[in-house]
Amino acid sequence: MASLGPPDPSDPSDRLPLALAEELVLLCTDPDSGTLRVSRNGFQRAVAAAVLAELLLTGGITVEGRRITAFRPVGACDEVTAEVLARLERAPKGRRPGLDAALRRVPRAPAVRSFRERLVASGHLTAERRRILLLVPYRAWPPVRATVAAEIAERITASLSRKGSASGYGSDAARWGASPAAERDLQLAGMLWAARLDRRLFPGRIHSELRKSFRAVAREQPIAQALHRVVGSDNAGGG
């Protein structure tokens, strides 16, 4: 009899596809502490960008240059994406927001909380209350499988390697025959560089060439470029 419980993330056959934002949460969560191992602002902005990138890849929005030029009300499976689409629907025709503005309008902390809760519900994270030195309480979100972040990182690295070997970083996915899964990996890579998370996740000289490839793919991605501008503006303005 089939199990009626939540999917078992330890069983590959039982895993459901994750949204880009959910993969970012898993990738940036320390498996031991259950807390972020990257800067909070860059991470929160990257999660917002991942919502827009998901819509772009699934046909929910069309982007030209720095602007959202059209949208299609695809069925949103999470409240953050649903609100982004609702905001686009309320905007007067011909006055769709620029990517930078759309990214800024995604609520940062609520978006992260929403995707963490979805990952708890799907069996990928657990929600715990812990204490530092038995005194200071904090909320932890440890992954059910401690290796999940490393697996996502390895997959991103492999997709970048195939792209670089096939055609160089300056050409688009169609020219080197990228699968939809590989294109999602490239979007994640671009966002990691744009949000300045790459050095914490892929540190040291051993990863220097890999980080250069992150930057190269980000230059091809309008949402990653918007993320880079917004994070830069945040940092210049003190957050």
Side-chain angles (χ1 to χ4, degrees):
M1 180 180 295
S3 172
L4 297 180
D8 178 3
S10 66
D11 180 1
S13 65
D14 205 20
R15 295 179 205 161
L16 297 175
L18 294 176
L20 288 171
E22 292 173 314
E23 294 213 294
L24 268 175
V25 171
L26 293 173
L27 182 62
C28 295
T29 298
D30 182 87
D32 296 320
S33 69
T35 59
L36 290 180
R37 50 181 178 160
V38 295
S39 69
R40 182 172 299 275
N41 179 64
F43 170 71
Q44 290 178 339
R45 290 297 194 193
V47 168
V51 173
L52 297 179
E54 190 81 47
L55 284 169
L56 179 65
L57 292 177
T58 56
I61 61 174
T62 301
V63 172
E64 293 180 11
R66 295 191 177 196
R67 302 200 67 79
I68 296 173
T69 55
F71 81 100
R72 181 168 60 88
V74 294
C77 61
D78 65 85
E79 60 187 26
V80 181
T81 304
E83 175 55 30
V84 170
L85 289 170
R87 189 177 292 113
L88 288 171
E89 191 168 19
R90 292 193 296 267
K93 189 174 181 180
R95 294 182 60 186
R96 306 289 179 225
L99 281 173
D100 297 30
L103 198 159
R104 289 183 182 281
R105 291 173 186 169
V106 179
R108 286 185 276 181
V112 172
R113 182 170 62 249
S114 175
F115 287 112
R116 277 175 168 164
E117 290 171 351
R118 284 174 55 81
L119 286 166
V120 170
S122 63
H124 291 83
L125 291 179
T126 57
E128 301 177 359
R129 291 192 178 277
R130 298 180 178 180
R131 290 181 180 272
I132 300 174
L133 300 177
L134 302 179
L135 295 174
V136 182
Y138 73 96
R139 193 75 177 268
W141 307 82
V144 171
R145 288 188 304 112
T147 59
V148 65
E151 291 166 8
I152 296 171
E154 289 173 6
R155 198 192 67 217
I156 292 171
T157 301
S159 292
L160 282 164
S161 178
R162 287 193 297 272
K163 177 176 172 61
S165 298
S167 59
Y169 294 110
S171 54
D172 60 28
R175 289 177 57 189
W176 63 283
S179 67
E183 178 58 23
R184 294 173 69 82
D185 291 340
L186 298 185
Q187 290 287 335
L188 285 169
M191 285 184 282
L192 291 179
W193 176 82
R196 306 182 185 184
L197 307 178
D198 55 330
R199 288 186 177 273
R200 291 298 301 271
L201 298 174
F202 299 87
R205 294 182 62 183
I206 190 174
H207 291 125
S208 61
E209 291 302 314
L210 180 62
R211 293 195 301 270
K212 289 179 183 177
S213 68
F214 287 5
R215 179 178 60 188
V217 297
R219 287 174 173 169
E220 304 171 7
Q221 299 168 349
I223 292 174
Q225 287 298 299
L227 175 60
H228 184 58
R229 290 190 296 270
V230 169
V231 170
S233 177
D234 288 345
N235 292 342

